[in-house]
Amino acid sequence: MLALVTGAARGIGRAIVLELARNKIDVAINYNSSSEAAKLLSSEVEKLGVKTGIFQANVSDRDQVLKLFADVKKLFGESIAILVNNAGITRDNLLMRMKPEDWHDVINSNLNSVFYCTKEAIRDMAKAKFGRIISISSVVGLVGNSGQANYAASKAGIIAFTKSVAREYASRGITANVVAPGFIETNMTQVLKDDVKSGILQSVPVGRIGSPEDVARAVMFFANECNSYVTGQVLAVDGGMTM
């Protein structure tokens, strides 16, 4: 079985790739600019005894997505059975200060990429009558966040898009689900000041920052071949923050 993970070179994407590989699933690693990190990840995956390959593509560009899928199929000789839409960016600012390009960049990277990749993957999944589509949203897409109107809109859009896809393709053996991470330890959160982190942790009942591996295990639950009766769902991996 073959999986494609977008934005996979670092952070949550990296953890997802390794979790899939540990479960003996071949993985195509997509990255945009982190080529060295992608190469290192690929070597780790190979040690786990599964097939892998790295593919550079900006998944907010439809033409690059088409080439990405063609290249993956050419290298592995099979279609993608598991798609993990993980690529995304932030361009935070208060609404009155937000530039139109910051809005469009986030929507393109976070939401349009999910549309392009899912649309391309679903053709072969429908033919095979099997598919697992897992998209990474955020708790911000559930509750909003000050200074992140663009990010929240993109992540909420992923949820609504996924529910629609789940309804359209449930009869074809395809499930579509969402993982919505809360406060997760990544390069983006490491730059936050200690007092900011402490303030956030006060809203997390389990009292700790989540790890990329916490998110990866949730993705693996949805990716599992046995979980054919779970679709259109949103799983918040947030330590109870949004309960």
Side-chain angles (χ1 to χ4, degrees):
M1 191 176 294
L2 173 62
L4 167 64
V5 183
T6 68
R10 296 181 299 178
I12 290 172
R14 181 180 185 279
I16 292 169
V17 167
L18 291 172
E19 183 68 19
L20 291 166
R22 289 188 196 101
N23 283 271
K24 302 307 176 185
I25 296 170
D26 298 334
V27 192
I29 300 166
N30 161 252
Y31 71 97
N32 186 23
S33 58
S34 305
S35 60
E36 288 304 314
K39 290 175 184 175
L40 287 171
L41 176 57
S42 178
S43 65
E44 287 188 57
V45 171
E46 287 175 350
K47 292 175 183 176
L48 294 171
V50 299
K51 296 178 183 177
T52 188
I54 60 173
F55 302 86
Q56 193 281 327
N58 178 351
V59 289
S60 68
D61 183 308
R62 182 174 178 273
D63 290 337
Q64 292 190 44
V65 168
L66 294 177
K67 184 178 185 302
L68 167 64
F69 276 75
D71 289 346
V72 169
K73 185 179 285 190
K74 183 178 180 180
L75 179 65
F76 288 89
E78 62 180 300
S79 300
I80 293 160
I82 301 167
L83 171 65
V84 183
N85 291 306
N86 172 70
I89 63 170
T90 57
R91 295 285 187 273
D92 297 350
N93 216 329
L94 295 174
L95 182 60
M96 289 185 65
R97 298 175 183 172
M98 188 174 290
K99 298 175 182 177
E101 53 265 35
D102 290 338
W103 171 271
H104 291 298
D105 285 349
V106 169
I107 296 297
N108 284 334
S109 294
N110 297 6
L111 183 56
N112 289 352
S113 64
V114 174
F115 165 67
Y116 294 142
C117 291
T118 303
K119 181 178 172 64
E120 194 60 25
I122 209 130
R123 299 174 187 274
D124 287 332
M125 289 180 179
K127 291 177 183 176
K129 295 185 178 180
F130 177 87
R132 296 287 182 266
I133 299 165
I134 306 107
S135 297
I136 308 302
S137 178
S138 168
V139 294
V140 173
L142 296 171
V143 300
N145 195 31
S146 177
Q148 289 192 309
N150 51 0
Y151 186 74
S154 70
K155 294 300 185 178
I158 287 172
I159 292 171
F161 173 82
T162 298
K163 288 178 178 289
S164 297
V165 171
R167 286 187 180 275
E168 286 185 25
Y169 289 93
S171 64
R172 303 285 188 91
I174 300 169
T175 65
N177 293 286
V178 173
V179 175
F183 192 53
I184 305 297
E185 190 68 65
T186 64
N187 290 339
M188 284 193 288
T189 58
Q190 285 174 356
V191 300
L192 296 176
K193 295 180 180 178
D194 289 339
D195 59 332
V196 175
K197 288 185 178 181
S198 297
I200 293 172
L201 282 177
Q202 289 178 10
S203 66
V204 181
V206 302
R208 70 171 177 87
I209 297 172
S211 70
E213 289 73 24
D214 289 321
V215 180
R217 285 187 286 269
V219 170
M220 190 61 230
F221 168 77
F222 285 133
N224 195 301
E225 197 170 355
C226 297
N227 290 331
S228 60
Y229 205 59
V230 182
T231 193
Q233 301 304 306
V234 181
L235 177 56
V237 182
D238 64 357
M241 206 165 83
T242 57
M243 77 166 89

